[in-house]
Amino acid sequence: MKKYTFLPLAIAVVLFFTFLFFPNRWLKSWVTDQRVEEAKIELNPLMFQGEYLQSQMLKDKNALPIYGSSELEHFDPFHPYNYTKAAKTPYSTFMVGRGGSQSITHFLNFAEQEKNLKGKKIIFIISPQWFTAQGMDDFHFSPNYSMLHAYDLAFNHEMNPKLKEIAMRRLLQFDTVKRDHLLVSMYKYELAKDKKPIFGRITMALGYMNRALLEKKDLYYSLINEQNKKLHANPSLIRNQTFEQQIQNADAFGEKRITNNNLNVNDRYYNRNIAPKYKQLKNFRKDVDYSKSPEYEDFNLVIDVLKDAGAKPLFISIPMNGKWYDYAGYPKEKRQAYYQKIRTIIKDANYPLIDYSSHEYDPHFITDTIHIGWKGWVYLDHDMDRYWKAK
């Protein structure tokens, strides 16, 4: 006869409740300054989708966060993080964003950190390829979605009520959110004109408990150290070099990496993604129009939440690779319409904008078809310096 023991189950239950009820303040005390410093370059979705590590970084008065998407993952000697280390700037940077991070993702993040953004200088990089005809879809939204941020939005009673309402209605359009029936019930209760008090109290109480679990999970994740990134730093190309010398260094760096095409695309990307289907890619973007996209509504949410928080953003408008987009059939006049629309939105918001659209054909400003790098980073580095020094 087999003997069954409940010991493993009992141990599992004890461990579960130990982790569940372990005091948050003890967990926070284990997150060291070194751990916070490591998180600045990890580009780890666990950090993006959490709260604690970002809040610690934002509380540093000498921190200048940079929000963007996949370009932040492209480390080279001129990358902003490497630049600040080599130039020994009075501020430090940390990166928030990865591929698929677009306006609605950043909105949720800013909403989560509103209390830490008041008076805070930040850099926000705008990528043209966000503004597609369909806008953000579930395929790109889901991997970057933070359940913790979404639950906290429901409990955010300091945000402008109209902004909160628009944001919740927008989030309810995503299947990822729709699958969370408790969150949907919370949002619908918050949005309802005729509220049912008993239903609402039960729903929000359950949501509060779930949010507490998500906060606990975030603290445990904050203790996890990712493997070090390959930063590809080379301080000699930065330190004790003038802006003009750094530009020359970036051009020399780029010339070694673009040798086999006239599209201003690095050899590795060209060989892997363009050369095998070069002829088929001719004019394949002829019907693209980045000046017309649902993404603009999400982008306005970003602007509105930054105003609500009292942040001090500097927006960076990334250019398209002129030679590549000419070949792909997206004409210059249509690209200019996109740039002008971005300029108008930022001007109307009364925020500063650095517009790099004049660098479309500047060799080594864009490293492939879409990502800023090398010479582009040098320009951004020095604009970042000026913005930090400005009152």
Side-chain angles (χ1 to χ4, degrees):
M1 179 181 293
K2 291 184 178 179
K3 291 185 178 181
Y4 295 92
T5 176
F6 291 98
L7 182 59
L9 178 60
I11 292 174
V13 170
V14 170
L15 288 174
F16 171 76
F17 282 103
T18 299
F19 281 104
L20 183 62
F21 293 106
F22 201 82
N24 284 2
R25 66 179 183 278
W26 291 4
L27 290 172
K28 290 177 181 179
S29 70
W30 292 350
V31 181
T32 64
D33 291 342
Q34 179 60 33
R35 177 71 196 97
V36 173
E37 183 64 29
E38 291 165 352
K40 291 181 177 181
I41 54 171
E42 284 179 354
L43 295 165
N44 184 350
L46 296 180
M47 185 270 280
F48 304 155
Q49 295 162 354
E51 184 275 334
Y52 186 69
L53 282 173
Q54 280 195 69
S55 69
Q56 294 304 105
M57 290 187 283
L58 285 168
K59 288 174 183 175
D60 179 357
K61 64 179 182 179
N62 294 321
L64 180 60
I66 304 177
Y67 299 85
S69 51
S70 53
E71 71 281 342
L72 299 178
E73 302 173 90
H74 288 239
F75 286 94
D76 62 50
F78 312 97
H79 186 283
Y81 184 84
N82 287 331
Y83 170 78
T84 58
K85 293 297 184 183
K88 297 183 179 179
T89 61
Y91 61 89
S92 62
T93 57
F94 66 88
M95 270 45 69
V96 181
R98 63 171 185 157
S101 296
Q102 295 181 201
S103 300
I104 192 63
T105 308
H106 287 301
F107 166 84
L108 274 173
N109 199 9
F110 290 140
E112 173 74 25
Q113 297 291 343
E114 268 199 286
K115 62 184 180 295
N116 294 316
L117 289 170
K118 185 173 179 60
K120 189 73 178 178
K121 289 185 177 183
I122 70 169
I123 305 292
F124 191 92
I125 299 176
I126 310 165
S127 295
Q129 64 273 11
W130 293 355
F131 298 88
T132 58
Q134 72 274 13
M136 174 67 99
D137 55 23
D138 265 282
F139 179 79
H140 293 93
F141 174 76
S142 183
N144 297 302
Y145 166 68
S146 168
M147 189 181 295
L148 173 59
H149 295 176
Y151 270 79
D152 272 347
L153 180 64
F155 290 102
N156 189 332
H157 300 301
E158 297 179 1
M159 178 182 287
N160 180 295
K162 184 62 177 178
L163 173 59
K164 179 178 174 180
E165 176 184 336
I166 294 171
M168 288 192 295
R169 292 190 187 281
R170 171 63 175 128
L171 289 166
L172 286 171
Q173 296 175 8
F174 291 104
D175 290 338
T176 305
V177 173
K178 290 177 184 178
R179 287 193 290 268
D180 188 335
H181 300 298
L182 176 57
L183 181 62
V184 169
S185 297
M186 292 168 63
Y187 279 10
K188 287 185 175 179
Y189 174 73
E190 289 286 298
L191 293 168
K193 293 181 179 179
D194 299 320
K195 299 184 185 295
K196 299 178 180 179
I198 296 177
F199 170 79
R201 282 195 289 269
I202 295 172
T203 299
M204 299 307 283
L206 291 172
Y208 186 85
M209 288 188 288
N210 198 34
R211 182 181 70 163
L213 291 173
L214 293 170
E215 289 175 341
K216 181 76 70 176
K217 183 172 73 171
D218 175 46
L219 287 173
Y220 280 116
Y221 281 153
S222 297
L223 298 171
I224 300 173
N225 183 15
E226 284 281 297
Q227 291 183 346
N228 292 332
K229 292 281 184 183
K230 292 183 178 180
L231 299 179
H232 304 288
N234 188 343
S236 65
L237 299 179
I238 301 294
R239 189 170 296 156
N240 300 322
Q241 302 279 301
T242 65
F243 170 76
E244 290 75 17
Q245 289 171 325
Q246 290 175 23
I247 289 293
Q248 292 175 2
N249 293 338
D251 272 327
F253 194 87
E255 284 172 2
K256 294 178 181 178
R257 287 157 178 80
I258 301 178
T259 64
N260 65 355
N261 67 90
N262 63 354
L263 298 175
N264 284 343
V265 174
N266 71 75
D267 293 352
R268 184 179 178 184
Y269 186 93
Y270 180 83
N271 292 336
R272 185 176 60 218
N273 298 295
I274 297 177
K277 46 186 176 181
Y278 181 79
K279 291 184 178 180
Q280 297 94 304
L281 292 173
K282 178 71 173 177
N283 292 326
F284 86 110
R285 289 198 175 275
K286 63 181 179 181
D287 297 321
V288 166
D289 188 350
Y290 290 156
S291 66
K292 299 174 182 177
S293 172
E295 181 72 22
Y296 287 103
E297 296 178 16
D298 293 344
F299 185 52
N300 281 324
L301 285 175
V302 167
I303 290 174
D304 290 343
V305 75
L306 289 174
K307 283 187 174 295
D308 197 60
K312 295 182 177 180
L314 171 64
F315 288 91
I316 306 290
S317 180
I318 300 299
M320 294 173 234
N321 179 334
K323 287 192 173 183
W324 164 248
Y325 274 96
D326 285 345
Y327 182 78
Y330 186 15
K332 188 173 182 178
E333 56 272 19
K334 289 176 71 175
R335 303 197 300 263
Q336 290 302 319
Y338 157 77
Y339 296 134
Q340 183 55 49
K341 189 161 187 174
I342 293 296
R343 285 193 287 266
T344 300
I345 291 172
I346 304 301
K347 181 180 178 181
D348 290 347
N350 199 30
Y351 279 138
L353 170 71
I354 301 296
D355 182 3
Y356 291 143
S357 59
S358 62
H359 293 278
E360 274 199 340
Y361 295 97
D362 193 350
H364 317 130
F365 199 95
I366 300 294
T367 63
D368 46 34
T369 59
I370 59 175
H371 295 112
I372 188 173
W374 308 336
K375 188 193 290 186
W377 283 140
V378 175
Y379 276 89
L380 193 151
D381 293 338
H382 287 264
D383 285 325
M384 191 168 59
D385 273 348
R386 284 186 283 272
Y387 189 60
W388 181 259
K389 294 173 184 176
K391 293 184 180 179

